[in-house]
Amino acid sequence: MGIQGKNYIGYSLSAEGERTFQSYIPSKDRFLPEDFRCATQSEVSRAMALAENACDEYSSVSASKRADFLIAITEEITALGDELLERAHLETGLAIARLQGERARTINQLTQFAELLREGSWIEASIDTALPDRTPVAKPDIRKMLVPIGPVIIFGSSNFPFTYSVAGVDSGPALAAGNPIIVKAHSAHPGVSDLTAQAVVKAAKRTAMPDGVFSMLYDDGFEVGTALVKHPASKAVGFTGSFKGGMALYKLAQEREEPIAVFAEMGSVNPIVILPGYLKSNAEEFGKTLAASVTLGAGQFCTNPGLVFVTESEGLGVFEDSYQQEIENTASATMLTAGICKNYNKLKQEVFEQANVSELAISEKLSVGENQAQASIARVSGKSFIANPKLHEEVFGPFSLLIVCEDTEELLEAVSHLKGQLTATLMAQDEEISTYPGIVRKLSKISGRFILNGVPTGVEVCPSMHHGGPFPATADARFTSVGRHSILRFVRPQSYQGWPNSLLPNELKDSNPLGIYRLINNVLTRNQV
Amino acid sequence: MGIQGKNYIGYSLSAEGERTFQSYIPSKDRFLPEDFRCATQSEVSRAMALAENACDEYSSVSASKRADFLIAITEEITALGDELLERAHLETGLAIARLQGERARTINQLTQFAELLREGSWIEASIDTALPDRTPVAKPDIRKMLVPIGPVIIFGSSNFPFTYSVAGVDSGPALAAGNPIIVKAHSAHPGVSDLTAQAVVKAAKRTAMPDGVFSMLYDDGFEVGTALVKHPASKAVGFTGSFKGGMALYKLAQEREEPIAVFAEMGSVNPIVILPGYLKSNAEEFGKTLAASVTLGAGQFCTNPGLVFVTESEGLGVFEDSYQQEIENTASATMLTAGICKNYNKLKQEVFEQANVSELAISEKLSVGENQAQASIARVSGKSFIANPKLHEEVFGPFSLLIVCEDTEELLEAVSHLKGQLTATLMAQDEEISTYPGIVRKLSKISGRFILNGVPTGVEVCPSMHHGGPFPATADARFTSVGRHSILRFVRPQSYQGWPNSLLPNELKDSNPLGIYRLINNVLTRNQV
């Protein structure tokens, strides 16, 4: 039905407010014609009230019906076809092939949650049967499972218009767990958000979900997001973006009368440490691999390798030459927004202006279009890095800093200054790993994902993926935003004591009608009680 | 070796400071002779530095060795024999039989964690094997498990000198998970804490744990606790106590440069709702049962039933008479501290002074001793309860408010004012439950443990026990402080990408040397890869 530009409040469209904004096309530095209407405070209240009302009904929809809903979303997204891809290409400047991959990942994520719901064991059912004759006191019958928490607020991100947006890594698990969601659409891609919202609404209607299970609101400022986080009915927040943005939401959520969890992914420099043995044997090849990782998607990934540590050892020259050559041969690329491009140029300039920082490589091929980012690699000594905290910070975009340490002792010291990260990567020959236990321990301690001989870009959607990490990479290192365990952000355990079988949820009935794994008297089994 | 009165900083005793306090005997309103030395800021720093240093070594101690450590603690606690019980009796006023039960529970808890470690599957190992030939990109080998987070700060509570103190529900899982702990001893029972600390230190030495895995500091004020929570090396906080105390720690933790999790259990009124059918059939019997629950341990349990809702229906008179008679026949009991006793009398007096609140029963038998609490039951109409938020608050001690509603409609409205609770209890005949879906939903939504036809006191230590609940009952409804899952408070997931088998932890090796359950390519199995 084309882009509506109105707020999606449950099954209704709403355009109460006066304030509007338009889609910006970064590659052309101009705007598309449609107006998107910023939500008013009363629209926020209506969306929240609908969500709160929908909680009871939605939480009692069976897991298999919720799975149908998720699959219906994937079908409706697929049905949007090229219109969705082309709009995303216009609004983000990302290449169509990259967007096709992202759409496939989004559909894969939702499908994985549907499968998780259908299998059912994720609910962590646990049963302890009664011992009425136990002395000195009888043991009651106690059973436990995970239950939904209530309305979840989700902020779309700028860099993944599908995967971290309206029907992405937060929406999928929040809906799968049985919670209504209210999405604040990212203002950098309102058209993609609008089309995706239509897909979600269609899927919800088609599978008879309650009105209010999904709402999406527009705003090109902070008012709507602030009001959503502060609303008493909100029970959790999902966010991916800058440290500043994440911490602002975190503080808002903590200052509520009832504090709520904010799952904020806030940026990471994803350090790579290259040990001498590895450098010696792989200098030329890894220079190329690294350049590809730094420039992938114009460097606009949360797992972009922003700091690379090496020592002055055999192979360094070959590595630097290869890295430099590859970067210089990389074409510039359109960034997501004018603001991101401006900020990229400013921050990288600031790094180049620091003492003892030199330029290793700048991409020389300029692509056609506006808001172009040139990949840029800076170089600094270990000593200067250690002395200057400014150099430890993230520069969002195709930028990376090469830190050349005198020896592995200085390398260890340099690495000891690193804070929490989504990923840390060690490039090493197997036999040299045990030689540097301090470096290994430090990288392990600060990282959510610890990679050996790879690059951090590329986040596999699988159960073993932990996409999260110690603060300040995320607000809560105990939870991942990718993979099946991300659903644990949006549930809480609840015990039922003394309830008869007929009144218990299916997950906890003696007969195990869902055939799920359960912990019965502390033994994991799919048997009946 | 008797009570030392000094701070336990790893394996050393330390008494740098000048400030001291003594054990108070509540039943006699006098002090014991030993001085306990409040820790200084430099002692706090030393304990934290030792803990931070111990992290690497302790986290690499095998799970089975950590299990030995926990069992050694239980043995050393047992070896303290009657000295520990008698000291606890003096310091807390709790009866010896009650303390024997609590000691048994403490030993049971630690033993359960030892068993959890020996079985090993709690680590949630997950393995996704590589697909090097996958297109368009190869799938890397990714494996994940839970890892320790670092030093945990634990606050002893006043009401459980063993179970929620030096070697209690926070210490057990924090140590089991591989984290050093720093305990702030509760000033209400420093002698018990001192003896227990000796048991932990002996056990740690005997099982060759690193120095710094355990420290315990004294303070009768807030300085030491504040400094511990603010210390940059602290990674989580465990606390059980008042709402005010819990929120103060919570705010401190959020204001840090790196915010950390505070697992605060902060009080609960544990509502009981009696439906008309149940009341009619069980009036006399439940009056007695309820009185016993309200007065258990002088009402000093976090699961004490502080609000009881009934309707004006058949059996009410019989119930009230039975309840009243049982309360009046209950002897008064010594409270834990003079401050708690004073606060109990003040708060219950304030309730009795509210409009339309009458006295239903006051215990008339006075026991010998100081700081005696008389069990007291107040009565109010549903209307007055709804209109007066003051009546919704906890009165810590053997007090409960009976709310008599005109009908079940008013009952639903009264219940709708309840906030998050550790427990909620429904007294109902099976067939009447479906008649009141609104009440059932509301009680379910606000409670961590939802009890049918029982009383909330008595927290079974078993896997299905969720001892936690929505805010303000606890600071984080996603975690329990009792049972095996309480260990999840003190770990974080970490992924390993591309590591060879020889360098992976045993939990993640192909051969599954520990024989644990693992999720291999999304299938739960104890098989090898």
Side-chain angles (χ1 to χ4, degrees):
Chain A
M1 64 181 189
I3 285 165
Q4 300 296 306
K6 295 179 182 171
N7 297 289
Y8 292 78
I9 302 188
Y11 289 152
S12 311
L13 286 170
S14 181
E16 275 180 7
E18 295 300 318
R19 202 153 49 85
T20 61
F21 67 99
Q22 293 171 312
S23 292
Y24 176 73
I25 315 177
S27 64
K28 299 185 177 170
D29 190 27
R30 63 172 179 82
F31 290 89
L32 283 163
E34 304 93 344
D35 282 333
F36 294 88
R37 203 74 72 99
C38 297
T40 62
Q41 296 290 321
S42 99
E43 285 171 324
V44 168
S45 301
R46 275 200 286 136
M48 290 307 307
L50 259 188
E52 201 174 12
N53 268 335
C55 279
D56 289 333
E57 190 181 337
Y58 187 54
S59 68
S60 65
V61 167
S62 72
S64 101
K65 289 243 161 76
R66 293 205 301 274
D68 294 344
F69 174 31
L70 297 183
I71 294 299
I73 295 174
T74 68
E75 291 164 354
E76 296 296 342
I77 288 175
T78 304
L80 288 168
D82 289 348
E83 185 188 1
L84 186 68
L85 291 174
E86 280 157 15
R87 182 78 189 197
H89 174 62
L90 279 180
E91 290 187 333
T92 65
L94 296 169
I96 290 285
R98 149 82 168 76
L99 289 165
Q100 279 170 328
E102 191 189 325
R103 184 180 59 178
R105 178 178 156 190
T106 305
I107 287 170
N108 175 25
Q109 284 171 182
L110 291 166
T111 305
Q112 286 193 17
F113 279 108
E115 286 163 2
L116 193 72
L117 290 177
R118 285 178 180 150
E119 195 284 324
S121 301
W122 73 274
I123 204 100
E124 294 180 8
S126 170
I127 296 173
D128 286 272
T129 51
L131 293 173
D133 301 327
R134 191 183 64 175
T135 54
V137 284
K139 181 180 176 186
D141 183 286
I142 307 184
R143 304 180 184 218
K144 182 168 78 171
M145 59 181 259
L146 300 175
V147 298
I149 51 169
V152 175
I153 309 302
I154 292 164
F155 287 81
S157 79
S158 62
N159 58 342
F160 283 90
F162 306 138
T163 300
Y164 283 79
S165 192
V166 181
V169 293
D170 296 325
S171 302
L175 288 173
N179 305 294
I181 64 171
I182 304 92
V183 176
K184 154 69 178 65
H186 199 286
S187 58
H189 46 73
V192 176
S193 301
D194 197 297
L195 293 169
T196 314
Q198 289 173 34
V200 177
V201 168
K202 267 190 195 167
K205 284 184 178 169
R206 180 146 78 77
T207 53
M209 295 296 136
D211 191 10
V213 73
F214 172 82
S215 289
M216 189 184 82
L217 306 177
Y218 290 109
D219 189 10
D220 62 348
F222 301 112
E223 282 170 41
V224 169
T226 301
L228 287 170
V229 173
K230 287 172 98 165
H231 195 283
S234 304
K235 294 299 175 192
V237 179
F239 169 86
T240 302
S242 68
F243 179 74
K244 202 177 142 194
M247 285 309 286
L249 294 179
Y250 185 81
K251 281 190 198 310
L252 269 183
Q254 301 310 323
E255 287 162 3
R256 290 164 48 107
E257 189 187 324
E258 174 192 346
I260 55 174
V262 174
F263 301 100
E265 187 189 312
M266 304 186 290
S268 180
V269 290
N270 304 293
I272 295 182
V273 171
I274 311 175
L275 292 182
Y278 184 91
L279 187 66
K280 185 176 162 188
S281 309
N282 304 274
E284 187 171 351
E285 187 201 336
F286 190 64
K288 288 181 189 169
T289 305
L290 182 59
S293 179
V294 168
T295 56
L296 192 69
Q300 300 167 119
F301 287 111
C302 43
T303 52
N304 200 54
L307 298 178
V308 178
F309 298 85
V310 288
T311 54
E312 283 175 1
S313 59
E314 200 182 333
L316 178 59
V318 176
F319 164 72
E320 288 188 327
D321 286 349
S322 153
Y323 192 18
Q324 178 188 359
Q325 202 179 330
E326 198 73 13
I327 289 288
E328 285 174 355
N329 285 332
T330 305
S332 68
T334 309
M335 294 199 88
L336 294 158
T337 70
I340 287 173
C341 189
K342 199 174 145 190
N343 205 43
Y344 169 67
N345 286 319
K346 175 173 163 272
L347 291 180
K348 91 175 182 189
Q349 195 50 42
E350 282 173 16
V351 172
F352 281 120
E353 283 164 4
Q354 300 298 305
N356 305 318
V357 172
S358 61
E359 176 191 310
L360 180 70
I362 293 207
S363 69
E364 288 169 356
K365 284 164 64 181
L366 275 179
S367 304
V368 178
E370 302 299 318
N371 292 303
Q372 294 293 303
Q374 287 172 274
S376 309
I377 310 298
R379 187 189 199 276
V380 74
S381 69
K383 250 177 218 54
S384 299
F385 176 83
I386 291 164
N388 188 356
K390 174 84 190 164
L391 299 176
H392 308 178
E393 288 167 21
E394 184 179 7
V395 176
F396 188 75
F399 172 86
S400 192
L401 176 63
L402 183 69
I403 300 110
V404 182
C405 300
E406 265 185 19
D407 49 30
T408 51
E409 208 170 309
E410 192 178 276
L411 177 63
L412 176 59
E413 199 196 332
V415 164
S416 76
H417 289 267
L418 293 171
K419 294 182 180 171
Q421 305 288 342
L422 292 173
T423 72
T425 301
L426 183 69
M427 308 305 295
Q429 292 185 309
D430 283 7
E431 57 277 15
E432 71 183 324
I433 293 176
S434 60
T435 320
Y436 304 103
I439 291 173
V440 175
R441 269 203 301 267
K442 173 68 187 178
L443 292 181
S444 182
K445 198 173 269 184
I446 59 165
S447 62
R449 176 163 52 112
F450 191 11
I451 301 155
L452 182 68
N453 297 338
V455 287
T457 43
V459 175
E460 187 70 29
V461 180
C462 66
S464 304
M465 172 54 65
H466 183 66
H467 191 64
F471 187 90
T474 72
D476 192 336
R478 290 166 306 179
F479 296 92
T480 179
S481 65
V482 171
R484 59 182 276 174
H485 297 112
S486 65
I487 199 171
L488 298 175
R489 294 175 295 171
F490 305 121
V491 286
R492 66 179 179 97
Q494 187 174 32
S495 293
Y496 303 84
Q497 181 175 322
W499 288 80
N501 256 270
S502 58
L503 294 169
L504 283 167
N506 282 334
E507 286 85 349
L508 298 179
K509 286 193 203 320
D510 283 353
S511 60
N512 195 11
L514 303 175
I516 59 176
Y517 272 106
R518 308 186 295 183
L519 203 60
I520 301 182
N521 296 321
N522 209 17
V523 175
L524 193 67
T525 171
R526 294 172 90 161
N527 291 344
Q528 305 192 350
V529 172
Chain B
M1 63 181 191
I3 285 165
Q4 300 297 305
K6 295 179 181 169
N7 297 289
Y8 292 77
I9 301 188
Y11 289 151
S12 311
L13 286 171
S14 180
E16 273 181 7
E18 295 299 319
R19 201 153 51 85
T20 61
F21 66 100
Q22 293 170 312
S23 291
Y24 176 72
I25 316 178
S27 64
K28 300 186 176 167
D29 190 28
R30 63 174 181 79
F31 291 88
L32 283 163
E34 305 94 344
D35 282 333
F36 294 88
R37 204 72 74 98
C38 297
T40 63
Q41 297 290 321
S42 100
E43 284 171 325
V44 167
S45 300
R46 275 201 286 134
M48 291 307 309
L50 259 188
E52 201 175 12
N53 268 335
C55 279
D56 289 333
E57 190 181 338
Y58 187 54
S59 68
S60 65
V61 167
S62 73
S64 102
K65 289 243 161 75
R66 293 205 301 274
D68 293 344
F69 174 30
L70 296 182
I71 293 298
I73 296 175
T74 69
E75 291 164 353
E76 297 296 342
I77 287 175
T78 303
L80 288 167
D82 289 348
E83 184 188 1
L84 185 69
L85 291 174
E86 281 157 15
R87 182 78 189 197
H89 175 60
L90 279 179
E91 290 187 334
T92 65
L94 296 169
I96 290 284
R98 149 83 168 77
L99 290 165
Q100 279 171 326
E102 192 189 325
R103 184 181 59 178
R105 177 178 157 188
T106 304
I107 287 170
N108 175 25
Q109 284 171 182
L110 291 166
T111 306
Q112 286 192 17
F113 278 108
E115 286 164 1
L116 192 74
L117 291 177
R118 285 177 180 149
E119 196 284 324
S121 301
W122 73 275
I123 204 100
E124 295 181 5
S126 170
I127 296 173
D128 286 273
T129 52
L131 293 172
D133 301 327
R134 192 184 64 174
T135 53
V137 282
K139 180 181 177 185
D141 182 286
I142 307 183
R143 304 178 186 219
K144 181 168 77 169
M145 59 181 259
L146 300 175
V147 298
I149 50 169
V152 176
I153 308 303
I154 292 164
F155 286 81
S157 79
S158 63
N159 59 343
F160 283 90
F162 306 137
T163 301
Y164 283 80
S165 192
V166 181
V169 293
D170 296 325
S171 301
L175 288 173
N179 305 293
I181 63 171
I182 304 92
V183 176
K184 154 69 180 62
H186 199 286
S187 58
H189 46 72
V192 177
S193 302
D194 197 297
L195 293 170
T196 313
Q198 289 174 34
V200 177
V201 168
K202 267 191 194 166
K205 283 184 179 167
R206 181 145 77 77
T207 54
M209 294 298 134
D211 190 10
V213 74
F214 172 81
S215 289
M216 188 185 81
L217 307 176
Y218 290 110
D219 189 11
D220 61 348
F222 301 113
E223 282 170 40
V224 169
T226 301
L228 287 170
V229 173
K230 287 171 97 165
H231 196 284
S234 303
K235 294 300 175 192
V237 179
F239 170 85
T240 301
S242 69
F243 179 75
K244 203 178 142 192
M247 286 309 287
L249 295 179
Y250 185 82
K251 281 191 198 308
L252 270 181
Q254 301 311 322
E255 286 161 3
R256 291 163 48 107
E257 190 187 324
E258 176 192 347
I260 56 174
V262 174
F263 301 100
E265 186 190 312
M266 304 185 290
S268 181
V269 290
N270 304 293
I272 295 183
V273 172
I274 312 175
L275 292 183
Y278 185 91
L279 187 66
K280 185 175 161 188
S281 310
N282 304 275
E284 187 171 352
E285 186 201 335
F286 191 63
K288 290 181 189 169
T289 306
L290 182 58
S293 179
V294 169
T295 57
L296 193 70
Q300 299 167 120
F301 287 113
C302 44
T303 53
N304 200 54
L307 297 178
V308 179
F309 298 85
V310 288
T311 54
E312 284 176 0
S313 58
E314 202 182 331
L316 178 60
V318 177
F319 165 72
E320 289 189 326
D321 287 349
S322 153
Y323 191 20
Q324 180 188 356
Q325 202 178 328
E326 199 73 14
I327 291 287
E328 285 174 357
N329 286 331
T330 305
S332 69
T334 309
M335 296 200 85
L336 294 157
T337 70
I340 286 174
C341 189
K342 199 174 146 191
N343 205 41
Y344 169 65
N345 286 319
K346 175 172 162 272
L347 291 179
K348 92 176 179 187
Q349 195 51 43
E350 283 174 15
V351 172
F352 280 121
E353 283 164 4
Q354 301 299 304
N356 305 319
V357 172
S358 60
E359 177 192 310
L360 180 69
I362 292 209
S363 69
E364 287 169 357
K365 285 164 63 180
L366 275 180
S367 304
V368 178
E370 302 299 319
N371 292 303
Q372 293 293 303
Q374 289 172 273
S376 309
I377 310 298
R379 185 190 200 277
V380 73
S381 69
K383 253 178 214 52
S384 298
F385 176 83
I386 291 164
N388 187 355
K390 174 83 191 163
L391 300 175
H392 309 178
E393 287 167 21
E394 184 180 9
V395 176
F396 188 75
F399 172 86
S400 192
L401 176 63
L402 183 69
I403 299 108
V404 182
C405 300
E406 267 187 17
D407 48 30
T408 50
E409 209 170 308
E410 192 179 274
L411 177 63
L412 176 59
E413 200 196 331
V415 164
S416 77
H417 289 268
L418 293 171
K419 293 181 180 173
Q421 305 289 341
L422 292 173
T423 72
T425 302
L426 183 68
M427 309 306 294
Q429 293 185 309
D430 283 9
E431 57 276 16
E432 71 184 323
I433 293 176
S434 60
T435 319
Y436 305 105
I439 292 173
V440 175
R441 269 204 302 266
K442 174 68 188 178
L443 293 181
S444 181
K445 197 174 270 183
I446 60 166
S447 62
R449 177 165 50 113
F450 192 11
I451 301 157
L452 182 68
N453 298 337
V455 287
T457 44
V459 175
E460 187 68 30
V461 180
C462 66
S464 304
M465 173 55 64
H466 182 66
H467 191 63
F471 188 89
T474 71
D476 192 338
R478 290 166 305 177
F479 295 93
T480 180
S481 64
V482 172
R484 60 183 276 175
H485 298 112
S486 65
I487 199 169
L488 298 175
R489 294 175 295 171
F490 305 123
V491 287
R492 66 178 181 96
Q494 187 173 31
S495 293
Y496 303 84
Q497 180 175 323
W499 289 80
N501 256 271
S502 58
L503 294 169
L504 283 167
N506 282 335
E507 286 84 349
L508 298 179
K509 285 193 199 327
D510 283 352
S511 61
N512 195 14
L514 303 175
I516 59 177
Y517 274 104
R518 307 187 296 184
L519 203 60
I520 300 183
N521 295 321
N522 210 16
V523 175
L524 193 66
T525 172
R526 295 171 90 162
N527 291 344
Q528 304 192 351
V529 173

